[in-house]
Amino acid sequence: MSLVSHLFPKLSLLPHISLLCNGHRHRLGLVRRHSTTLIHRRPPATIFSPPSPLVGHSRHGRRRVSMDSASPEVSASVDSVAEGLKNQNLNSDDRGGLGSGVEHGARKKLEELNWDNSFVRELPGDPRTDVIPRQVLHACYSNVLPSVEVESPQLVAWSESVADLLDLDLQEFERPDFPLLFSGASPLVGVSPYAQCYGGHQFGMWAGQLGDGRAITLGEILNSRSERWELQLKGAGKTPYSRFADGLAVLRSSIREFLCSEAMHSLGIPTTRALCLLTTGTFVTRDMFYDGNQKEEPGAIVCRVAQSFLRFGSFQIHASRGKDDYKIVRALADYAIRHHFPHFENMSSSQSLSFSTGDEDSSVVDLTSNKYAAWAVEVAERTASLIASWQGVGFTHGVLNTDNMSILGLTIDYGPFGFLDAFDPSYTPNTTDLPGRRYCFANQPDVGLWNISQFASTLSAAELINDKEANYAMERYGDKFMDNYQTIMTKKIGLPKYNKQLISKLLNNMAVDKVDYTNFFRSLSNIKADPSTPEEELLVPLKAVLLDMGKERKEAWVSWVKIYIAELAASGISDEERKASMDAINPKYILRNYLCQTAIDAAEQGDFGEVRRLLKIMERPFDEQPGMEKYARLPPAWAYRPGVCMLSCSS
């Protein structure tokens, strides 16, 4: 049984799901504890066959909500020890990582930013400097300069919080040459631009070399807290990885990426960020639906920011090219660990990160003996946590290819994404995905596991981890996802412990009646824990979200609300306290596709006010924001046309 089956047990699964995760569903449990060593029960598996997702166990030092409504319990696992190791390194690592919490120094001008450029300094590069489309062998990147043509580029919007990450003085956005500098038309002092080489699986099929076809990294900035931030211009021109494309980006897709990067951050979901968005003043030819109807669209560039843009595909491409390039996989792994997972450089046997893989052969995975295995486990757990967060807010990425999977567990590459409006587990925002719906909302947890299996297989092929360590990383993905998802859903309905039957019934009711995902959970906090509420009044707090229902469906909802109120009453939590906690996890404002389109339509006519207004609203998604209520409304009828609710991968 797949993770989808657990989340939506009454929904029929799409045909490809059985290909992603087949076999019998096993339940993991903590069966024995010896001082700091844990023994887990798990089924036999191999990374070379489709993995079976597994139900989670507890995490050390953290409260866990069990699947069977048991009380939260405390237990041990690898992620807590890794967290401790991270904290040990925060003050000692001055080369990046997570930062030391040091107070900001003085705000800096662009010329004063501290560029480091470790990626090009420490990893093998392409000896050629041309941008002719080609296979780039034995290299992690190609040096390339931005080449986009600009005519009076204009700054559309910028993120003050991202400027804060970089210690950048906000007055720098007012510089007349700022649009020239961040379009690449004028060079920034201290940068060393390059395009990254990577490959990937696209829709489950190996696609070979892909790479940064229209993204050019300027370099890395070290801020006053010793954090490392990579800046990248998306839409800045051709690279050796552009294939038959022009390396450019259009305004509509750039607005979507800029706004959603910042909106996801404000929702508390790990993501790449966006410093600024600008127009180039030139036009780009695009065929939005691949139907032969090309048109001219305004060109644009987004400056994306992340601690790293390394992807699963960054490692896959080199492993795919055979033994001669395995050393590059190792070099990339060493680089990633050194700069972004430094806690694994200092592991010792005293941490006792040893885990049994089963009772039959009593073999043990000792993560302290292999930093690559410990790293793979953390990548798996970060990915699981990320996708659980997506499910919690109803976000569908749309293109979960392995080249779009960050090793840091960030949401990366905002193409045809979409937040759920009417709840439909089979929703995909990607027109290219329609035939099989591989990347639909309900499938994201299983696809995440499939992608982790490809990443683990890559590390195994390069002889950085063995099969047992690879299997354990996948096991931890299943554990972590279920733990986080259960915790999120429990908080969303305001209960102190997980209730599988109650949540499953709720999601199925929502799917049957196509209830708006965001507005329903926001309204749910208005229900009072009063079992004496007359039956005819039970649905009053939900009347704005339960629309156009017949008698039978009303009875189904009344039945659910009765059980829910009984659970609320038994919890002993006051209505006021519960509402505050629920409203803190259930956003009122999300970046619905129709809101993006409204801003795009205005921007294409030269009015950027709506882009800036949406940015400000999405910075406070959990607040009521009086006067902004229209941004929480259901989509209008026009929002369901192609190009608004669904998009292609074209940009």
Side-chain angles (χ1 to χ4, degrees), residues 458-471:
T458 294
L459 301 184
S460 180
E463 300 180 347
L464 299 184
I465 64 177
N466 61 37
D467 289 358
K468 290 185 176 64
E469 291 164 340
N471 287 331

Side-chain angles (χ1 to χ4, degrees), residues 461-631:
E463 300 180 347
L464 299 184
I465 64 177
N466 61 37
D467 289 358
K468 290 185 176 64
E469 291 164 340
N471 287 331
Y472 186 71
M474 290 187 290
E475 178 178 313
R476 282 302 303 156
Y477 174 94
D479 295 347
K480 189 75 169 180
F481 175 83
M482 291 309 304
D483 278 354
N484 282 31
Y485 180 78
Q486 290 166 9
T487 299
I488 289 168
M489 297 307 295
T490 299
K491 289 180 178 179
K492 285 181 76 68
I493 64 173
L495 293 179
K497 59 184 181 180
Y498 183 64
N499 187 321
K500 178 182 176 181
Q501 289 185 332
L502 187 70
I503 292 173
S504 294
K505 182 62 176 176
L506 169 61
L507 293 176
N508 278 281
N509 276 347
M510 292 175 68
V512 169
D513 294 309
K514 305 299 181 186
V515 176
D516 185 85
Y517 191 85
T518 300
N519 289 352
F520 175 85
F521 281 108
R522 187 73 176 190
S523 299
L524 195 60
S525 65
N526 296 324
I527 289 182
K528 307 297 183 184
D530 182 5
S532 65
T533 302
E535 186 168 303
E536 62 272 15
E537 297 179 14
L538 287 174
L539 301 185
V540 171
L542 303 175
K543 65 180 180 180
V545 290
L546 298 182
L547 307 171
D548 302 324
M549 290 189 304
K551 179 180 178 182
E552 182 179 346
R553 293 308 305 155
K554 283 185 178 179
E555 290 176 352
W557 278 103
V558 165
S559 175
W560 184 88
V561 170
K562 283 181 179 179
I563 299 171
Y564 177 56
I565 288 177
E567 291 288 325
L568 295 180
S571 74
I573 303 172
S574 70
D575 290 334
E576 295 75 15
E577 181 184 354
R578 184 182 64 259
K579 179 173 175 55
S581 64
M582 290 175 68
D583 287 351
I585 193 172
N586 293 316
K588 179 167 184 174
Y589 301 97
I590 56 166
L591 191 66
R592 298 176 189 265
N593 274 333
Y594 87 90
L595 295 177
C596 277
Q597 190 61 46
T598 301
I600 290 167
D601 291 342
E604 288 183 338
Q605 300 303 314
D607 179 3
F608 305 133
E610 193 66 12
V611 174
R612 297 166 184 164
R613 190 174 300 110
L614 271 180
L615 176 64
K616 291 300 180 184
I617 292 170
M618 296 306 155
E619 285 176 350
R620 297 162 48 212
F622 302 100
D623 296 348
E624 286 296 324
Q625 301 192 51
M628 297 293 110
E629 291 83 3
K630 70 176 184 178
Y631 291 94

